[in-house]
Amino acid sequence: MTRFVVVPQWQGSPSTRAMLLRDGAEAIAGDLPRSATVVLDVPLEAGDGQGTGIQRLSAVRRTSELLDDALSMSSDRAVVIGGDCSVTVAAAARWAADDVAVVWIDAHADLNDPASSPSGSSAGMALRALLGGVPDLLGTAAVSPERVVLVGARERDDAEDAYLAGNGIRHLTESDLADPAALADAVAATGAARVYVHLDLDVLDPSEFRGSAWGIPFGIPVADLVAALRTLGERTPIVGATVAGFAPADPAAAGEDLGAILRLVGAVA
C-alpha cells in the first residue's frame, strides 16, 4: 500500500513564490485518496538560521521532525508531497541503505553547501545534505555519489558543477529522457536494487506546466517524464518518492496543472 504525506513547507525555498508552495501542496492533497493521506501541520513562521548560514533552519528542522514522526508510523511506501525540495532530506534518509539509489529529478542540482550557496536556502542544499555535505540538515550521509542519478538539472552554480565533476554523479539531460528506458538504465548502472525518487516540478517544460516556483525554459515534457518513471518502476522497486515545487499563482492555475501532477504521482506511487 502507498500512503501520502503532504508537507506544505515553504521555508526552504529561495523563490519569490515560496509562500505559494503551501497552496500547491494543499491543492494536490485535495485530489489524493483521503483514507491514505495525512497533511502535516507545518509551522507558518519563517524561523531563523541559528548561526549556520542556512536560512530559516529552525523551521526546516521542526518540519523534518514532524515528517520523520509521520513516516515512522508505518513501513508502507510513502509519497511525500511538498512544499519545497528540502522535505526530501528527512524522507529519503528514512530509506537509506547500501542497495538504494536516489534519483534527483530537478531543474537545479541542489548540491550547494552553506559556504557555496548564493541564497542560503536549504532547498538548494538538499541533495548535498543526503550526500553528507550539510551536517546541519542531516548528520550523516544517506547515499553515496555513485548511487545518485541527477536528471534535468539545467540551472547549476559553478560550485555545483565542480562537485559534479569531482564525484562521478550520473546526470541525464532533458533530451536523454526522450528514450523512456534511459532513466532505468542509469539506475541499473549504479548497481542499486531499489530507488528513492525526488521530483521537483520545476524540471518540467514551462510551456506545458506553469505552476512551478521557477519556470525555467527547455525542461522535460510531461509525457517523457511519466514514461521514464513508469519504466523505472517496472524494472527497479521505488521505495518512496517526493513530488515538490508546486506553486500555482491562483486556484484556477492550480486546476490547469493538477492533471499532469497526478499522472506523475501515479507513476511513482
Side-chain angles (χ1 to χ4, degrees):
M1 176 178 142
T2 299
R3 58 200 175 107
F4 301 92
V5 182
V6 180
V7 190
Q9 174 181 282
W10 64 273
Q11 292 94 333
S13 173
S15 171
T16 57
R17 297 174 65 172
M19 289 292 291
L20 296 175
L21 293 167
R22 293 184 61 88
D23 299 334
E26 290 164 2
I28 298 171
D31 278 334
L32 298 175
R34 185 169 300 178
S35 63
T37 301
V38 60
V39 181
L40 299 189
D41 186 16
V42 173
L44 282 171
E45 61 270 16
D48 62 70
Q50 301 181 320
T52 63
I54 303 174
Q55 297 294 318
R56 311 184 188 116
L57 178 61
S58 61
V60 171
R61 280 177 166 166
R62 175 57 182 149
T63 300
S64 292
E65 292 169 358
L66 293 172
L67 177 55
D68 192 61
D69 288 345
L71 293 174
S72 69
M73 299 294 289
S74 170
S75 60
D76 290 338
R77 177 173 59 175
V79 175
V80 174
I81 304 294
D84 68 73
C85 288
S86 61
V87 301
T88 297
V89 177
R94 291 287 306 179
W95 280 274
D98 289 343
D99 67 339
V100 175
V102 171
V103 169
W104 199 266
I105 307 171
D106 200 310
H108 304 90
D110 296 342
L111 284 169
N112 277 302
D113 61 21
S116 68
S117 173
S119 68
S121 69
S122 59
M125 306 179 202
L127 180 53
R128 186 68 173 271
L130 288 170
L131 288 159
V134 190
D136 288 310
L137 288 177
L138 189 65
T140 187
V143 66
S144 59
E146 61 270 18
R147 290 275 204 248
V148 173
V149 178
L150 184 64
V151 181
R154 59 194 183 276
E155 187 166 275
R156 305 187 302 271
D157 299 320
D158 290 345
E160 293 177 309
D161 279 337
Y163 186 89
L164 283 171
N167 287 276
I169 292 174
R170 293 170 175 83
H171 182 208
L172 300 181
T173 66
E174 302 76 40
S175 59
D176 289 329
L177 263 65
D179 175 3
L183 177 57
D185 289 345
V187 171
T190 71
R194 301 177 294 158
V195 62
Y196 188 97
V197 175
H198 162 91
L199 168 57
D200 184 339
L201 295 164
D202 67 6
V203 81
L204 297 173
D205 196 295
S207 68
E208 291 188 355
F209 186 88
R210 297 194 301 155
S212 100
W214 296 102
I216 302 166
F218 309 116
I220 301 173
V222 174
D224 286 359
L225 186 53
V226 170
L229 289 170
R230 286 179 175 163
T231 302
L232 173 63
E234 290 166 359
R235 289 176 49 182
T236 306
I238 297 174
V239 297
T242 302
V243 178
F246 186 35
D250 53 57
E256 293 174 5
D257 287 328
L258 279 171
I261 293 171
L262 294 174
R263 287 172 66 196
L264 292 162
V265 170
V268 294

